[in-house]
Amino acid sequence: MTQSEKNLIDAVLASVTDGAFDKCENYDNLVKIAGYHLVQNLIAEVISESDDVPDSVLKYLSEMQALLVIKDANQESEVTGLMKLFEQNKIPVVMLKGWLMKKLYPRTDMRTMADTDIFIRQSDERKIHDIIKSRGYSVVSFGGKKDNVYHKEPFIILEMHKNLFMFEDSWNVFFNSEESTMCIWNRVKKISGYDYVYRMDDELFFVYMIAHIAKHLLDDGGIGLRAILDVWLFMNKTQKLNFDVAFRDLEKLGLTDFAHNVIKLTKYWFEHKECDNTIQEFGDYILKCGVYGNSKFLVATKEGIMTSDNPSQFKYVLRRAFPTVGEMKVRFPQLNKRIWLLPFLYIKRLWYSIRHRTDSVKNEIKNAGEVDYAQVKRIHSLYENIGLK
């Protein structure tokens, strides 16, 4: 952990606990790393109280705070309006992740959200689709396996989830199947003031938080500091959280060891507890990931698709450009009934990537050609050590 990274953790902790923050030597570096993890609004609270902060840093943080306060107010207004419409139409929905977590921060604008995640029944997706469109949202995607996505300027992205995960189908079964003791609809609590707007019970929500972190590490090239902070805040602010129930469910997902290690990391960072080398390495890795992971780690965690004895950039790109038929069926459910569409959907997927993801695709191809195989082995070893297999 670098000094600037340590300063970041200390500043974030001071902000959410109303604690003190010691001065740091390089505020520019601190702000840069905070931006990488999208926690500028958190550190602004404590940085502005220091005497030796450069004016340029104070100006940037002040402008960022003002923007994020406006964004938070806009998101809150829009989402509350939708919740009321779901209530009026007696459509059950379950609020997820950021919308719930931001209530645990000193101010809701301190916990930024790129999007708002809501869980729905697939049987209700058409009614919900019509309601959202009536509110002036544009449709980004509709009818996919995982979610339907909508956008409204200037700040609102909605993800209406029918499944919580894209590739972890066995996990989806636990959360969706009515026979499962983890079925979301059997484990909900009404949000105050509503009869049809819910949240998961505390234990299942904790399980989902852990599974969500695991998913980002396995599928997206990492996850950032904020996700670990969320876990720590949730554990400390949720009275009577029953860890026996939570770990019973985590065992079904194969995530008990991983959950223990996430908890150890929260205590290392935010309670200054001692830890072993694995937890320190885990923490350093998270700090290098950034809030949504990075393309170098994405390539490294996808190295299993390259033959270990003869890896090459060409094989990596070919495999990413043309996923297996099973993976394509996850992205395009219509293939289950019309497999003859496969070549056309490969073309559609490639065309979409070329048009809308040009920079990220170029980045990933470049990183595939610069793979550090020693780093790949370290990451795979770390994943095994923290309980991700």
Side-chain angles (χ1 to χ4, degrees):
M1 184 189 302
T2 67
Q3 184 58 48
S4 291
E5 289 167 343
K6 183 180 184 304
N7 289 148
L8 175 65
I9 291 171
D10 290 343
V12 163
L13 178 61
S15 183
V16 298
T17 60
D18 197 25
F21 173 69
D22 293 333
K23 296 179 181 180
C24 73
E25 294 181 1
N26 193 327
Y27 285 101
D28 288 316
N29 254 1
L30 174 58
V31 169
K32 181 179 179 181
I33 299 172
Y36 190 47
H37 288 270
L38 288 186
V39 291
Q40 301 100 311
N41 229 23
L42 275 173
I43 70 162
E45 292 298 303
V46 293
I47 295 301
S48 60
E49 298 172 3
S50 299
D51 299 327
D52 57 345
V53 187
D55 289 342
S56 59
V57 169
L58 290 174
K59 181 174 183 292
Y60 167 76
L61 289 176
S62 175
E63 291 173 350
M64 183 60 67
Q65 271 194 304
L67 174 65
L68 292 175
V69 166
I70 293 169
K71 180 178 180 180
D72 178 68
N74 179 249
Q75 288 176 329
E76 184 67 18
S77 174
E78 275 294 329
V79 175
T80 300
L82 283 169
M83 290 165 64
K84 289 178 179 177
L85 283 174
F86 298 145
E87 181 74 12
Q88 290 167 12
N89 287 273
K90 298 183 178 180
I91 300 173
V93 299
V94 183
M95 305 305 292
L96 301 172
K97 292 193 316 187
W99 190 89
L100 294 167
M101 282 307 308
K102 69 179 187 172
K103 315 293 183 184
L104 300 184
Y105 283 71
R107 290 198 324 268
T108 56
D109 63 273
M110 289 181 172
R111 181 20 171 109
T112 58
M113 297 192 306
D115 48 51
T116 299
D117 298 272
I118 303 175
F119 189 77
I120 65 174
R121 284 193 169 102
Q122 187 160 0
S123 57
D124 291 326
E125 70 174 334
R126 177 54 67 176
K127 287 184 286 186
I128 290 170
H129 179 75
D130 292 341
I131 287 172
I132 292 174
K133 284 186 67 180
S134 75
R135 295 274 294 186
Y137 285 80
S138 59
V139 181
V140 178
S141 65
F142 180 80
K145 171 200 167 182
K146 182 172 177 275
D147 51 34
N148 302 321
V149 183
Y150 306 87
H151 178 244
K152 186 176 184 180
E153 294 289 353
F155 300 119
I156 313 298
I157 297 174
L158 296 175
E159 292 188 358
M160 312 302 291
H161 292 263
K162 297 165 283 186
N163 286 297
L164 295 181
F165 305 98
M166 176 64 85
F167 299 112
E168 294 81 1
D169 274 334
S170 61
W171 293 1
N172 284 326
V173 170
F174 283 115
F175 283 103
N176 287 13
S177 172
E178 291 187 3
E179 285 117 29
S180 168
T181 57
M182 293 171 61
C183 177
I184 290 175
W185 296 108
N186 297 331
R187 299 274 299 273
V188 292
K189 302 190 295 188
K190 291 179 183 178
I191 288 177
S192 178
Y194 297 90
D195 289 321
Y196 290 90
V197 182
Y198 301 96
R199 52 159 296 168
M200 298 180 203
D201 68 37
D202 293 335
E203 289 72 28
L204 192 63
F205 188 75
F206 178 77
V207 170
Y208 172 53
M209 292 174 75
I210 297 295
H212 182 73
I213 294 172
K215 172 260 179 193
H216 273 283
L217 290 169
L218 291 167
D219 297 338
D220 301 319
I223 198 166
L225 175 152
R226 196 177 62 193
I228 308 301
L229 178 62
D230 280 351
V231 171
W232 185 73
L233 278 175
F234 185 77
M235 289 191 300
N236 280 274
K237 295 202 171 189
T238 304
Q239 296 181 351
K240 299 180 180 178
L241 179 60
N242 190 326
F243 282 100
D244 289 338
V245 172
F247 273 89
R248 179 196 68 196
D249 293 335
L250 284 162
E251 186 174 5
K252 295 172 185 174
L253 303 180
L255 291 176
T256 53
D257 289 343
F258 178 67
H260 281 301
N261 285 313
V262 171
I263 292 170
K264 288 177 185 176
L265 179 57
T266 68
K267 294 183 182 299
Y268 169 51
W269 276 355
F270 306 120
E271 297 177 19
H272 308 298
K273 302 284 188 185
E274 299 219 356
C275 67
D276 58 26
N277 290 336
T278 294
I279 299 302
Q280 292 182 35
E281 186 182 358
F282 183 20
D284 290 346
Y285 179 73
I286 294 289
L287 289 168
K288 298 296 185 293
C289 285
V291 67
Y292 301 122
N294 67 53
S295 55
K296 286 187 177 180
F297 289 163
L298 173 64
V299 169
T301 56
K302 298 295 183 187
E303 280 306 298
I305 69 175
M306 300 170 71
T307 57
S308 58
D309 56 338
N310 188 26
S312 74
Q313 182 186 34
F314 174 75
K315 288 179 181 178
Y316 180 89
V317 172
L318 188 67
R319 180 65 179 80
R320 290 285 280 156
F322 298 99
T324 65
V325 174
E327 290 169 338
M328 287 293 285
K329 285 181 177 179
V330 168
R331 291 182 174 92
F332 303 102
Q334 59 265 47
L335 286 172
N336 289 303
K337 293 183 178 179
R338 296 186 290 277
I339 193 64
W340 55 269
L341 287 173
L342 182 62
F344 303 100
L345 291 174
Y346 273 132
I347 294 169
K348 176 183 178 180
R349 181 174 177 275
L350 286 170
W351 179 243
Y352 178 87
S353 295
I354 291 169
R355 288 195 61 190
H356 300 286
R357 297 181 60 244
T358 306
D359 290 342
S360 61
V361 169
K362 283 182 179 177
N363 235 4
E364 189 173 339
I365 292 173
K366 176 176 178 289
N367 287 325
E370 300 173 354
V371 169
D372 177 349
Y373 291 100
Q375 182 187 58
V376 171
K377 288 182 178 179
R378 284 196 301 271
I379 291 174
H380 285 190
S381 175
L382 171 64
Y383 276 27
E384 287 188 11
N385 290 338
I386 61 176
L388 291 180
K389 309 253 174 118

